[in-house]
Amino acid sequence: PQPDTFRPILETEYVAAQNEFEEIIQDIWVEVMEIDKIGIHDNFLEIGGDSLAGIRIVSRLSQAFEIDFPVNLIFQKSTIAQLAVHIEETIVKLMEEMED
C-alpha cells in the first residue's frame, strides 16, 4: 500500500515556512518524509522520522547549502525552525571567517 502522505495528528499546531531557509528545508523534509504538509515546529521524530530519513535529509541539506553538516544534526535540531536558525548562523559565521 501507498504510505500515508498526510501530516500526522500532533499537539504542535501547523506553522508554514516564514523565510527562504525554512522553505528550502521544508521542501526537503516533505520530499524525504513523503508527507504533504510539515510545519516548521513539527518534530522530526514525531512525524515518523528515523535514522535513514535523517541521513537523507542531512545529506540533502549539505548539498542544498553546500556545507558539510554532521549526520546527527537532525537529532540536535529536530525542527525545521531550529535547522533554519542553525544553518543561517553557520553561513553568517563562514562569511565572517572569509572576510578575515
Side-chain angles (χ1 to χ4, degrees), residues 13-81:
E13 187 174 323
Y14 174 81
V15 178
Q18 306 293 311
N19 60 51
E20 189 174 353
F21 287 104
E22 291 175 353
E23 288 175 6
I24 293 168
I25 298 165
Q26 187 178 50
D27 288 345
I28 291 171
W29 279 39
V30 165
E31 187 174 324
V32 171
M33 299 299 295
E34 297 180 347
I35 297 174
D36 291 338
K37 189 176 177 181
I38 301 175
I40 63 170
H41 299 296
D42 292 351
N43 183 285
F44 172 70
L45 295 174
E46 291 177 5
I47 61 170
D50 58 23
S51 57
L52 183 56
I55 291 168
R56 292 177 63 206
I57 287 172
V58 172
S59 174
R60 300 276 306 278
L61 291 173
S62 293
Q63 290 174 346
F65 293 102
E66 297 181 1
I67 299 172
D68 287 329
F69 295 111
V71 174
N72 64 345
L73 178 65
I74 193 77
F75 300 105
Q76 295 171 342
K77 310 292 183 189
S78 59
T79 69
I80 291 169

Side-chain angles (χ1 to χ4, degrees), residues 88-100:
E88 185 173 5
E89 289 173 350
T90 301
I91 290 171
V92 167
K93 182 180 176 183
L94 289 171
M95 291 175 70
E96 288 172 352
E97 288 174 2
M98 289 176 60
E99 289 176 1
D100 290 343

